[in-house]
Tab-separated table of all heavy atoms in Angstrom:
chain	number	residue	atom	x	y	z
A	28	ASP	N	40.472	29.298	75.810
A	28	ASP	CA	40.958	28.069	75.162
A	28	ASP	C	39.862	27.041	75.030
A	28	ASP	O	39.728	26.347	74.019
A	28	ASP	CB	42.143	27.497	75.963
A	28	ASP	CG	43.353	28.436	75.914
A	28	ASP	OD1	43.404	29.262	74.967
A	28	ASP	OD2	44.207	28.341	76.822
A	29	SER	N	39.055	26.910	76.087
A	29	SER	CA	37.979	25.919	76.050
A	29	SER	C	36.937	26.287	74.991
A	29	SER	O	36.403	25.429	74.291
A	29	SER	CB	37.317	25.804	77.426
A	29	SER	OG	36.743	27.052	77.794
A	30	GLU	N	36.647	27.583	74.808
A	30	GLU	CA	35.691	28.009	73.786
A	30	GLU	C	36.233	27.718	72.380
A	30	GLU	O	35.506	27.263	71.494
A	30	GLU	CB	35.406	29.504	73.935
A	30	GLU	CG	34.574	29.821	75.188
A	30	GLU	CD	34.367	31.315	75.341
A	30	GLU	OE1	34.908	32.045	74.478
A	30	GLU	OE2	33.668	31.740	76.283
A	31	GLU	N	37.541	27.992	72.195
A	31	GLU	CA	38.132	27.702	70.890
A	31	GLU	C	38.108	26.221	70.578
A	31	GLU	O	37.821	25.800	69.461
A	31	GLU	CB	39.566	28.234	70.840
A	31	GLU	CG	39.654	29.753	70.862
A	31	GLU	CD	41.086	30.233	70.864
A	31	GLU	OE1	41.985	29.354	70.956
A	31	GLU	OE2	41.321	31.450	70.775
A	32	GLU	N	38.411	25.407	71.593
A	32	GLU	CA	38.372	23.947	71.375
A	32	GLU	C	36.959	23.477	71.054
A	32	GLU	O	36.755	22.606	70.200
A	32	GLU	CB	38.899	23.247	72.626
A	32	GLU	CG	40.397	23.464	72.852
A	32	GLU	CD	40.865	22.822	74.156
A	32	GLU	OE1	39.996	22.292	74.872
A	32	GLU	OE2	42.077	22.846	74.430
A	33	ALA	N	35.976	24.044	71.729
A	33	ALA	CA	34.588	23.658	71.455
A	33	ALA	C	34.190	24.038	70.033
A	33	ALA	O	33.501	23.287	69.333
A	33	ALA	CB	33.648	24.317	72.465
A	34	GLN	N	34.613	25.245	69.569
A	34	GLN	CA	34.294	25.682	68.217
A	34	GLN	C	34.924	24.764	67.176
A	34	GLN	O	34.291	24.403	66.166
A	34	GLN	CB	34.787	27.127	68.018
A	34	GLN	CG	34.416	27.718	66.676
A	34	GLN	CD	32.936	27.917	66.532
A	34	GLN	OE1	32.233	28.063	67.541
A	34	GLN	NE2	32.457	27.875	65.298
A	35	VAL	N	36.186	24.392	67.418
A	35	VAL	CA	36.863	23.476	66.503
A	35	VAL	C	36.161	22.131	66.456
A	35	VAL	O	35.982	21.520	65.400
A	35	VAL	CB	38.344	23.312	66.912
A	35	VAL	CG1	38.997	22.199	66.101
A	35	VAL	CG2	39.098	24.610	66.724
A	36	PHE	N	35.704	21.666	67.598
A	36	PHE	CA	35.011	20.380	67.668
A	36	PHE	C	33.683	20.424	66.888
A	36	PHE	O	33.330	19.497	66.155
A	36	PHE	CB	34.776	20.024	69.145
A	36	PHE	CG	34.071	18.714	69.341
A	36	PHE	CD1	34.727	17.509	69.117
A	36	PHE	CD2	32.729	18.666	69.724
A	36	PHE	CE1	34.089	16.307	69.287
A	36	PHE	CE2	32.087	17.465	69.893
A	36	PHE	CZ	32.757	16.276	69.673
A	37	ILE	N	32.965	21.529	67.041
A	37	ILE	CA	31.685	21.669	66.324
A	37	ILE	C	31.910	21.710	64.823
A	37	ILE	O	31.188	21.090	64.044
A	37	ILE	CB	30.954	22.939	66.807
A	37	ILE	CG1	30.508	22.757	68.253
A	37	ILE	CG2	29.769	23.266	65.902
A	37	ILE	CD1	29.980	24.020	68.904
A	38	GLU	N	32.950	22.452	64.387
A	38	GLU	CA	33.250	22.514	62.952
A	38	GLU	C	33.618	21.157	62.395
A	38	GLU	O	33.228	20.797	61.281
A	38	GLU	CB	34.382	23.505	62.712
A	38	GLU	CG	33.991	24.958	62.959
A	38	GLU	CD	35.155	25.903	62.749
A	38	GLU	OE1	36.273	25.393	62.490
A	38	GLU	OE2	34.958	27.129	62.844
A	39	SER	N	34.367	20.380	63.150
A	39	SER	CA	34.723	19.032	62.693
A	39	SER	C	33.495	18.148	62.568
A	39	SER	O	33.371	17.346	61.635
A	39	SER	CB	35.752	18.413	63.647
A	39	SER	OG	35.195	18.245	64.937
A	40	LEU	N	32.543	18.305	63.520
A	40	LEU	CA	31.307	17.526	63.428
A	40	LEU	C	30.503	17.902	62.183
A	40	LEU	O	29.967	17.036	61.471
A	40	LEU	CB	30.457	17.752	64.689
A	40	LEU	CG	30.968	17.105	65.984
A	40	LEU	CD1	30.079	17.495	67.154
A	40	LEU	CD2	30.999	15.581	65.847
A	41	ASP	N	30.407	19.221	61.899
A	41	ASP	CA	29.683	19.661	60.704
A	41	ASP	C	30.322	19.121	59.427
A	41	ASP	O	29.639	18.711	58.488
A	41	ASP	CB	29.654	21.197	60.656
A	41	ASP	CG	28.811	21.773	61.789
A	41	ASP	OD1	27.969	21.027	62.327
A	41	ASP	OD2	29.016	22.954	62.126
A	42	GLN	N	31.666	19.132	59.396
A	42	GLN	CA	32.370	18.628	58.225
A	42	GLN	C	32.109	17.139	58.032
A	42	GLN	O	31.890	16.668	56.915
A	42	GLN	CB	33.868	18.900	58.377
A	42	GLN	CG	34.680	18.522	57.130
A	42	GLN	CD	36.140	18.883	57.282
A	42	GLN	OE1	36.533	19.428	58.310
A	42	GLN	NE2	36.913	18.588	56.250
A	43	ASN	N	32.112	16.392	59.124
A	43	ASN	CA	31.837	14.958	59.030
A	43	ASN	C	30.417	14.695	58.523
A	43	ASN	O	30.167	13.796	57.716
A	43	ASN	CB	32.043	14.289	60.388
A	43	ASN	CG	33.528	14.299	60.806
A	43	ASN	OD1	34.406	14.329	59.947
A	43	ASN	ND2	33.794	14.292	62.099
A	44	GLU	N	29.462	15.507	59.035
A	44	GLU	CA	28.087	15.329	58.587
A	44	GLU	C	27.935	15.634	57.093
A	44	GLU	O	27.226	14.938	56.370
A	44	GLU	CB	27.160	16.239	59.403
A	44	GLU	CG	27.017	15.787	60.857
A	44	GLU	CD	26.129	16.744	61.643
A	44	GLU	OE1	25.693	17.744	61.038
A	44	GLU	OE2	25.868	16.483	62.821
A	45	SER	N	28.608	16.723	56.628
A	45	SER	CA	28.526	17.061	55.201
A	45	SER	C	29.153	15.968	54.341
A	45	SER	O	28.649	15.626	53.259
A	45	SER	CB	29.214	18.398	54.932
A	45	SER	OG	30.591	18.310	55.239
A	46	GLU	N	30.269	15.384	54.798
A	46	GLU	CA	30.882	14.281	54.049
A	46	GLU	C	29.966	13.081	53.980
A	46	GLU	O	29.851	12.414	52.948
A	46	GLU	CB	32.228	13.907	54.691
A	46	GLU	CG	33.310	14.983	54.506
A	46	GLU	CD	34.588	14.601	55.215
A	46	GLU	OE1	34.578	13.555	55.896
A	46	GLU	OE2	35.589	15.334	55.076
A	47	GLU	N	29.275	12.802	55.125
A	47	GLU	CA	28.341	11.681	55.113
A	47	GLU	C	27.178	11.936	54.147
A	47	GLU	O	26.724	11.044	53.431
A	47	GLU	CB	27.804	11.448	56.533
A	47	GLU	CG	28.865	10.913	57.499
A	47	GLU	CD	28.318	10.770	58.911
A	47	GLU	OE1	27.132	11.142	59.094
A	47	GLU	OE2	29.047	10.294	59.805
Side-chain angles (χ1 to χ4, degrees):
D28 294 339
S29 61
E30 289 177 358
E31 292 178 355
E32 291 176 356
Q34 184 67 25
V35 171
F36 180 73
I37 292 171
E38 291 178 356
S39 64
L40 288 176
D41 293 339
Q42 185 176 359
N43 292 333
E44 290 178 358
S45 63
E46 290 177 356
E47 291 177 358

